[in-house]
Every structure is written in structure tokens, then in C-alpha cells.
Amino acid sequence: MSAAENDTNGTPAGPRPEPIRFFGTTWVDHSGGYTARRLGVAVGSLAAAAAACFVLRIAYDGLRIADVGSFVSLLMVVMFAICSSLAFRHTWSAFTTRPDPDRQASLRGLLAIGFVGSLLAYFFRTFTEAPGEKLHRAEYDKARADYEKRTTRRTDNPSKKRRRR
């Protein structure tokens, strides 16, 4: 790569990769402890999900001790199960496509209730890639290809072209 293709600090000119939470830009070339980060995210998300389930268990025990009735207890369990499954599906699909900001805002409460599902989606996704890497890689590769297409130079100067007679 020539000096003209680099910016002032020596990094390649053109589009920059978007950082991913917990991974930065190490997902581009899998450097900088990428594997250790994936392992850490897997362990951390599973530990956080286990801790969240423990807290939910304490809340359930509190409802049982308060003797609110079996209907309310069942309602709480079903609510958390449904919200967690919806949060899992939403988080899992957000790794491959950009979520609609309006829909994301309207689902904020549901995703907060079903946070265990989101944590489990992070846990399972780290077995194949950094969560969201596939989406970011596709966008970055397209941006690089578009940049290369825009900056490709012609071999001849069109103003010095001889005219045919």
C-alpha cells in the first residue's frame, strides 16, 4: 500500500470498521485476544443469566411467601418465560440484520423484562462468532468494495486523449 493510500497516522484510507461491544475492531482480523474475548463474553453472559435467574427465583419466593395466590405466581412465571423467549428471538435476529429503531424503542420494556433471553442469545452466539460480527463484516466489506470502486484510477488521462480524424 502506498503512502498516498494511508491517512496521516498510517492507517489505511477508506471506511473504518464499526466496533462491536466487548470486541472493538478485533473482529476484522481476529487479532488482539479475539478468542479470549469470545470466551469471556460467553462465560460472562452465562454467569449474568444464571445470576438473573437466581434473582428471579428470589422474587418468586417473595411472591410465594406473600401468599398472593397461585394465579399471580403462574402469571409471573409465564410472563418472564414469554418475554425472555421474545427477547432471545429479537436479540438473535439483531445479530444478522439491523433492527428498526422505532420497533426497538417500542420493544424496550419487553426486552428489559426478558433480559435473560438476551443474555442467553449472547451466550449461544459467541460459539460461532462475536455477536453481530456477520452483520458488521458484510457492511464493512460492502463499504470497502464501494470505496475501492470509487477510488480506482484510470490508466490514461482523458484530457490528453488524441482525437481521431
Side-chain angles (χ1 to χ4, degrees):
M1 193 173 288
S2 69
E5 293 173 342
N6 290 338
D7 63 5
T8 56
N9 60 5
T11 59
R16 307 242 191 285
E18 184 178 345
I20 297 177
R21 181 181 297 155
F22 306 119
F23 293 91
T25 57
T26 61
W27 60 268
V28 175
D29 55 2
H30 294 186
S31 64
Y34 173 81
T35 306
R37 288 176 190 224
R38 270 185 49 193
L39 181 64
V41 168
V43 169
S45 61
L46 186 61
C53 287
F54 180 71
V55 169
L56 290 176
R57 172 66 187 191
I58 291 172
Y60 178 78
D61 285 343
L63 288 176
R64 196 171 43 86
I65 291 170
D67 197 27
V68 293
S70 60
F71 178 71
V72 174
S73 297
L74 178 69
L75 193 63
M76 184 187 125
V77 170
V78 169
M79 176 198 61
F80 273 106
I82 290 172
C83 289
S84 290
S85 65
L86 290 173
F88 180 92
R89 187 180 58 84
H90 178 76
T91 304
W92 190 267
S93 67
F95 294 144
T96 55
T97 58
R98 291 272 181 195
D100 179 34
D102 294 333
R103 184 170 183 264
Q104 183 84 8
S106 68
L107 291 176
R108 186 171 293 134
L110 181 124
L111 294 174
I113 294 169
F115 62 99
V116 174
S118 293
L119 291 169
L120 290 175
Y122 261 86
F123 171 71
F124 288 118
R125 193 55 171 211
T126 56
F127 289 125
T128 56
E129 66 176 5
E133 178 180 347
K134 186 176 184 179
L135 172 66
H136 284 77
R137 187 169 304 282
E139 290 174 349
Y140 179 64
D141 288 345
K142 183 179 181 325
R144 290 292 305 169
D146 291 347
Y147 176 78
E148 293 297 326
K149 192 160 79 171
R150 280 193 320 267
T151 59
T152 302
R153 305 278 186 238
R154 292 191 201 182
T155 56
D156 297 328
N157 186 347
S159 66
K160 294 184 179 179
K161 192 174 186 180
R162 280 193 254 160
R163 305 228 168 147
R164 294 184 187 174
R165 290 184 189 204

